[in-house]
Amino acid sequence: MTSLSPDQIIRQEILALSAYHVPPAKDMIKLDAMENPYQLPSFLGEEITRITAGAHINRYPDPHAAALKETLRTSLSIPDGMEIMLGNGSDEIIQIIMLAAAKPGAKLLTVEPGFAMFKMIATFTNMEYVGIPLRPDFSLDLDMMLTAISHHQPAILFLAYPNNPSGNLFDEAALNKIIQISKGLVVIDEAYHPFAGKSFIEKLPNYPNLLVMRTLSKLGLAGLRLGFLVGRPSWLYHLEKLRLPYNVNVITQLMAEKIMQHYDTLQHQADIIKQTRTKLRIFLESLKGVEAYPSDANFILFRLNNASHVFKQLQQRRILVKNLDNSHPLLKNCLRVTVGTPEENDYFCNTLQDLIAEN
Ligand code: PMP
């Protein structure tokens, strides 16, 4: 008997997807993925080496990660009465939320351009995707959002605050309005919170349909893969059923617990990144033909002539940024650069300046 081929078994929407592309980064100056460029201070590095050397990796991890959650609760001032759910990165949390809500015909609404995984995971989980365009300056079009919400009645609304790839914080009053008029669940994704300072976490007690998501990835711990969701137990109780029991491994639990006891160290690095972000933006703005957008995150979106060509030339000079040209009509000729160390930023700035002069 001949067996069925993958395209006979796998869902049509999955066959049609292209895999999330991560370009090779060996020997590159990596300014494409919003990582923190700094290592941990050596005292912390030594401490976690010691702790992990004694880790019981022959045992499954604590499925509830109780000690880590307690540390997160205190270091991040989680409001009383709110629960925490941990994910293998916040990507996994997005997937859990959508899996839970994907009734036939249920809609996921977000803005465009926005974080690419919202749309991808909507496809994985069979949710109907609705993307509402931002204004050309990447601010929220509140009227259009309110109309879309009332028309589509989305089960879930995801908004990144600050937004990726534009880097801006949306208007707080507009977000409050959106949460108030939404009958469905609103998830505010605060992946870039360490660089923005503003948060909806303290508003959780005000809104029964609000959840707030964070990640440690942008704070210097991208390699650990730890994201978390904060919200009412009535929501998290059900979402927890979809979380695979050992999704946060032993080493991540131990390391994150120790490192989060020194949260001020990580926040200090984020503050340095904020300062260098200002310098980088001033430089980009000074270049002829470059428009740099304001950012509350650890990256800057900028527009320039022949962006795709410049992107390739940067790559040839060992600099990796994100090419967003052609990814959305509002992003024509746009590139996104992550704020690196001052040395990396200087090399990027000088190279870009030379390329613009040559082109
Ligand atoms: N949300 C946003 C807005 C992001 O930009 C990213 C990463 N690029 C994530 C979530 C996912 O982060 P992680 O899975 O590393 O926690």
Side-chain angles (χ1 to χ4, degrees):
M1 216 188 293
T2 48
S3 60
L4 296 175
S5 62
D7 56 352
Q8 289 171 299
I9 295 279
I10 291 173
R11 280 157 47 202
Q12 189 49 45
E13 317 83 87
I14 307 300
L15 293 174
L17 272 182
S18 352
Y20 189 81
H21 176 62
V22 181
K26 192 168 178 307
D27 299 328
M28 300 291 276
I29 297 179
K30 210 170 168 314
L31 301 176
D32 64 329
M34 287 80 105
E35 291 143 332
N36 171 343
Y38 301 108
Q39 297 271 358
L40 289 173
S42 52
F43 83 91
L44 253 183
E46 281 156 25
E47 244 179 291
I48 57 173
T49 308
R50 194 174 42 76
I51 292 170
T52 50
H56 292 281
I57 53 169
N58 55 322
R59 303 285 178 200
Y60 285 107
D62 172 1
H64 308 295
L68 171 57
K69 278 193 195 168
E70 211 32 60
T71 307
L72 288 171
R73 182 172 284 287
T74 29
S75 52
L76 299 172
S77 316
I78 308 292
D80 287 345
M82 297 299 150
E83 277 294 335
I84 304 175
M85 183 179 82
L86 302 182
N88 191 307
S90 44
D91 284 346
E92 188 188 37
I93 294 175
I94 301 169
Q95 179 165 291
I96 289 175
I97 295 170
M98 291 200 204
L99 268 177
K103 292 183 190 174
K107 291 182 183 173
L108 176 279
L109 190 143
T110 187
V111 293
E112 287 191 348
F115 179 39
M117 290 311 284
F118 296 153
K119 186 171 186 180
M120 284 196 84
I121 296 175
T123 307
F124 301 168
T125 56
N126 244 332
M127 286 201 87
E128 246 181 69
Y129 173 83
V130 182
I132 303 301
L134 293 172
R135 294 211 188 93
D137 66 354
F138 304 110
S139 62
L140 265 185
D141 186 333
L142 182 59
D143 288 341
M144 202 193 279
M145 285 297 285
L146 296 181
T147 309
I149 292 166
S150 102
H151 175 72
H152 292 284
Q153 291 296 333
I156 315 272
L157 200 152
F158 262 98
L159 285 171
Y161 182 76
N163 189 42
N164 171 16
S166 49
N168 53 321
L169 282 166
F170 296 130
D171 179 62
E172 190 180 332
L175 289 194
N176 280 319
K177 183 85 192 154
I178 285 171
I179 301 166
Q180 279 156 13
I181 71 121
S182 291
K183 293 202 182 116
L185 178 63
V186 178
V187 185
I188 304 287
D189 174 355
E190 298 187 348
Y192 300 97
H193 168 262
F195 316 98
K198 293 184 78 175
S199 173
F200 273 71
I201 278 207
E202 58 269 26
K203 298 197 181 186
L204 280 167
N206 306 350
Y207 298 121
N209 60 335
L210 175 66
L211 296 177
V212 175
M213 196 172 71
R214 295 261 185 99
T215 176
L216 301 190
S217 294
K218 317 298 168 185
L219 206 52
L221 306 174
L224 281 190
R225 307 301 297 131
L226 188 72
F228 57 100
L229 185 70
V230 188
R232 291 174 189 243
S234 51
W235 285 106
L236 268 57
Y237 169 73
H238 295 292
L239 297 176
E240 277 285 350
K241 299 176 202 168
L242 283 164
R243 185 180 63 78
L244 299 177
Y246 306 117
N247 64 332
V248 180
N249 71 68
V250 170
I251 301 291
T252 297
Q253 288 192 29
L254 285 172
M255 281 199 185
E257 190 193 338
K258 176 48 70 186
I259 297 167
M260 288 310 284
Q261 287 164 3
H262 299 273
Y263 183 66
D264 50 338
T265 306
L266 300 183
Q267 188 55 53
H268 177 65
Q269 291 184 343
D271 292 341
I272 293 173
I273 292 169
K274 277 166 73 174
Q275 288 160 19
T276 32
R277 170 181 79 198
T278 308
K279 283 195 197 142
L280 182 56
R281 172 140 189 268
I282 292 171
F283 178 84
L284 286 169
E285 282 281 275
S286 75
L287 293 176
K288 205 164 160 281
V290 174
E291 184 181 6
Y293 291 91
S295 171
D296 292 291
N298 62 341
F299 57 86
I300 297 177
L301 181 76
F302 62 102
R303 200 185 296 272
L304 75 176
N305 294 328
N306 298 322
S308 289
H309 181 60
V310 174
F311 167 76
K312 282 196 200 111
Q313 289 179 309
L314 285 168
Q315 245 179 343
Q316 282 157 10
R317 286 164 177 76
R318 293 199 308 112
I319 299 173
L320 201 54
V321 297
K322 178 85 176 171
N323 184 9
L324 296 161
D325 189 20
N326 300 322
S327 66
H328 187 274
L330 290 178
L331 296 174
K332 184 94 206 87
N333 271 326
C334 281
L335 302 179
R336 186 191 66 200
V337 61
T338 305
V339 181
T341 60
E343 297 74 31
E344 289 171 334
N345 296 341
D346 284 349
Y347 182 62
F348 162 73
C349 287
N350 294 335
T351 311
L352 183 66
Q353 189 165 32
D354 292 349
L355 291 175
I356 288 174
E358 280 168 28
N359 277 309

